[in-house]
Structures are given as C-alpha cells and as structure tokens.
C-alpha cells in the first residue's frame, strides 16, 4: 500500500527530527498529524515540523492536498482533527456527518465582525473541515450559514450566504469537489435559542455541515 509506505517514512523522519511521539495517517488526499504531545509548546513545534515534513516528502507532496492537526496534549481537549484519524474515502454519509459533528462540537468558525472574512484563528478548523470534505466528496455536503438576528432580514440573509460561500471557497481551494458542496445562508431564520436568551448571539451565529447521500 503506497499510502502506508509513505506514512511509515514520514513517521521515521519525524522521529529523526526529535518527535518520536508523532505519526501521520494517510487517507486519500489528506495527511493527519497524530500523537500525544507532552505540552502545548511541544504540540506547536510538532505541528509546524510535521507540516514541513509532509510537504517536503516528494510522494506525500504529490498526493496530499491538506495537512490536518489531530495532535493531542496530555490533559487537554480533543484536537480539532480527531474525527479524521479513522475516517476513510469509503465513509458513509452517516460517518461523514458524525465526523463533522465531532469536529464542530464546542467550536465555531469565526469571522470578522459583520464580514465574511474568516479569522486566522479558524484556519486549523477549516483545514479539518476540508479534510472531511475531501474524504466525503462522494456525498452531498451542505454548508449552512446562520447569524444572530440583528438588522433587517435581507441583510442577515446576505451576510449568512456570503459566510457560507466563503467556507465553501476555502474547501474548494484545497481540492474539495465543487459538485459535492452547497453553500446556503439562512440568515437569522433558524435560531438555536431565543434571541433574548443569554449568549444567544454566540449560540445562534454558527456554521453547520449537513451530509446527505448524493441523488445523482
């Protein structure tokens, strides 16, 4: 298996670089960095070196579109890319949906205020979303944009659509299949909680990935 051979070479190279606790899972066009880092600083260094190693390895560089962070830290929360470790190109629509749900639980894609520009803090989250989209491109993936109910309905709808489209553009920039991706803004029409509730703006401003089997 060429992918397994590449993963073994990458693991050995990472060990030579001083990161014996790191390895790489190769699936389709996705390389997922895994391992248990002793602390946050070691993770940061490992992620940086891991990306460089993958991108510089000729065979990996030719087949990998995105490198995803699934490096854990002792005592820390699950990494953003944890759902990709066991995900394959043969994943069912349900498995892909579960992966998106796991990835987004407790997280949100952040945008500049009143804009459709994704903040740099959300880059690794979008990389993980791209990885799932690449492995699940035989299914239909709807990217839903939802915002808090401020301003008129047309303004809300336009902003939510632009944000959903920005996420779609990011995924496509790294090779996700355009025909598998649908971007749809819902404005403030589908709030999770009442707009008067505490933290309603935090709860209701969100990006949701919905996976369905393709009908064509």
């Amino acid at each position: 298996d060429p992918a397994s051979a590449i993963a073994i070479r990458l693991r050995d190279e990472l060990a030579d670089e001083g990161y014996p606790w790191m390895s790489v899972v190769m699936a389709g066009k996705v390389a997922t960095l895994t391992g248990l880092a002793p602390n946050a600083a070691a993770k940061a260094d490992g992620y940086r070196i891991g990306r460089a190693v993958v991108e510089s390895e000729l065979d990996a560089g030719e087949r990998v579109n995105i490198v995803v962070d699934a490096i854990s830290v002792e005592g820390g929360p699950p990494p953003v890319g944890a759902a990709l470790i066991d995900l394959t190109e043969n994943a069912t629509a349900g498995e892909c949906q579960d992966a998106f749900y796991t990835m987004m639980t407790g997280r949100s894609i952040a945008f500049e205020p009143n804009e459709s520009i994704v903040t740099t803090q959300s880059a690794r989250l979008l990389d993980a979303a791209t990885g799932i989209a690449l492995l699940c491109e035989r299914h239909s993936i709807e990217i839903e944009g939802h915002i808090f109910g401020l301003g008129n309905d047309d303004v809300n709808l336009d902003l939510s659509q632009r944000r959903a489209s920005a996420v779609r553009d990011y995924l496509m920039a790294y090779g996700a299949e355009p025909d598998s991706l649908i971007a749809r803004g819902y404005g403030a029409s589908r709030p999770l909680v009442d707009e008067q509730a505490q933290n309603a703006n935090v709860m209701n401003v969100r990006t949701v990935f919905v996976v369905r089997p393709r009908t064509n």
Side-chain angles (χ1 to χ4, degrees), residues 97-154:
Q97 183 65 77
D98 288 345
F100 276 120
Y101 178 80
T102 298
M103 179 194 73
M104 294 300 294
T105 297
R107 303 182 178 95
S108 61
I109 297 172
F111 297 87
E112 297 293 343
N114 300 316
E115 297 289 346
S116 58
I117 302 168
V118 180
T119 65
T120 56
Q121 291 92 333
S122 291
R124 292 193 195 182
L125 182 56
L126 280 179
D127 288 349
T130 302
I132 297 173
L134 287 167
L135 295 175
C136 296
E137 61 187 10
R138 66 194 184 100
H139 306 298
S140 175
I141 302 168
E142 180 176 337
I143 304 161
E144 297 182 354
H146 302 270
I147 66 172
F148 184 62
L150 293 176
N152 65 52
D153 290 345
D154 288 341

